[in-house]
Amino acid sequence: MVGYIFRRLLTAAITIVVVIILSGFLIHIIPGDPVTAMLAQSVSATEEDIARLNAQYGLDKPVWQQTFIYLGNVLQGNLGTTIRGNEAVLPLLLQRLPNTFALASAGLSVALAIGIPLGFVAAVNRGRAGDFVVMLIAILGVSIPSFWLGLTFIQVFSLQLGWFPVAGTSFRNMILPAMTLGIVNSALVARMTRSALIDILREDYIRSARARGLRESQVLFIHALRPALISIVTVVGLVFAHLLGGQVITENVFSWNGIGRLAIQAMLQRDYPLVQGFIVVFAISIVAVTTALDILYGVLDPRVRRK
């Protein structure tokens, strides 16, 4: 078990380093110069001012050199300072990270609450009308853009019915964005739950349980559903990654003050340190969650450790 945990942690560390290096190269593909954009409204700005600020933020160095300098700073816990406002990036991101995780957790809860029962119904009714209806719902859920669903919720439940506020970070503000994220991602949970249950229902011990005369409810909920939940654990990591990825748009639609909304603002302002800081924190968050779930999966299923 110790070797398995060490391998997972080593893979996670390598993944984060690769993400930092790639982000350093890719971030400079964004058109425009952040210093020029920052001084655009200053009539008295000169070429010397632009050169001085480029040197101050290290933007005058080659991209590869900027990337490895940044990697060294990150390993020391320094994500730099913002170009606009000259604020430390790490505290700025950590201030909004709890809002992002709260919304992601709420969205995950909604996705599991909807997806697991739907997947269970589809597996039990495989090949019948119930299975067809659930899979149709799942396809629709995958096809619906999160921003369109969010705007529809705002139009109906906020503007027309007045049940929920349009923007903010209170519990009532969280309901609509959590429903948006949860409904869109419940389709993935439903399909994975269905697949896991169908595989388990083919096992010999399920046929043996039925042959012993156990009620169908006992066979499904005790002998089939519990082993299937072990496989569903791995899906939670995928869903969480989907939630964080889709949350960047959802946070902007609902004006939710998380790191996703901050990242969009940083991209529009071409604030390289803030964008890179977002990528680093985003990557660390996803890798940490998925690694923890992989380790939990290894604890629950010894076959994974032996592989």
Side-chain angles (χ1 to χ4, degrees), residues 77-266:
N78 177 19
L79 298 184
T81 57
T82 62
I83 292 178
R84 290 179 178 268
N86 200 29
E87 298 179 77
V89 170
L90 184 58
L92 196 61
L93 292 171
L94 292 179
Q95 182 181 0
R96 298 202 182 193
L97 190 60
N99 290 338
T100 294
F101 269 96
L103 183 55
S105 300
L108 179 62
S109 300
V110 173
L112 295 177
I114 296 174
I116 291 178
L118 286 179
F120 182 84
V121 170
V124 172
N125 296 279
R126 184 189 179 196
R128 289 180 282 182
D131 186 17
F132 175 78
V133 171
V134 171
M135 287 299 97
L136 179 61
I137 294 173
I139 293 172
L140 290 175
V142 172
S143 305
I144 295 175
S146 59
F147 70 88
W148 179 86
L149 186 60
L151 291 173
T152 302
F153 280 168
I154 291 174
Q155 178 66 30
V156 175
F157 295 106
S158 295
L159 300 181
Q160 294 183 4
L161 298 177
W163 291 356
F164 303 103
V166 176
T169 52
S170 66
F171 176 77
R172 291 184 69 238
N173 296 113
M174 186 190 295
I175 295 175
L176 289 184
M179 290 297 295
T180 301
L181 292 170
I183 289 173
V184 171
N185 288 277
S186 63
L188 176 60
V189 178
R191 296 183 68 172
M192 296 302 294
T193 302
R194 175 184 180 274
S195 177
L197 271 172
I198 287 175
D199 290 340
I200 289 174
L201 290 173
R202 294 171 178 165
E203 295 289 340
D204 292 336
Y205 71 87
I206 296 295
R207 288 193 288 269
S208 299
R210 285 171 172 159
R212 291 200 305 269
L214 294 178
R215 294 192 302 273
E216 188 66 13
S217 59
Q218 289 180 295
V219 174
L220 294 175
F221 289 100
I222 297 177
H223 294 278
L225 183 58
R226 289 176 63 184
L229 290 177
I230 297 177
S231 301
I232 296 171
V233 167
T234 56
V235 183
V236 174
L238 295 174
V239 173
F240 194 82
H242 275 275
L243 285 166
L244 289 178
Q247 194 165 316
V248 173
I249 303 299
T250 305
E251 284 184 1
N252 280 272
V253 170
F254 290 95
S255 298
W256 183 266
N257 286 324
I259 60 172
R261 188 181 181 205
L262 185 64
I264 295 295
Q265 295 169 350

Side-chain angles (χ1 to χ4, degrees), residues 7-23 71 279-280 283-284 286-288 290-291:
R7 290 193 300 272
R8 297 306 305 155
L9 293 176
L10 180 62
T11 302
I14 294 173
T15 301
I16 292 171
V17 171
V18 171
V19 168
I20 294 173
I21 293 174
L22 289 177
S23 68
L71 176 61
I279 294 173
V280 171
I284 291 175
I286 292 180
V287 169
T290 54
T291 301

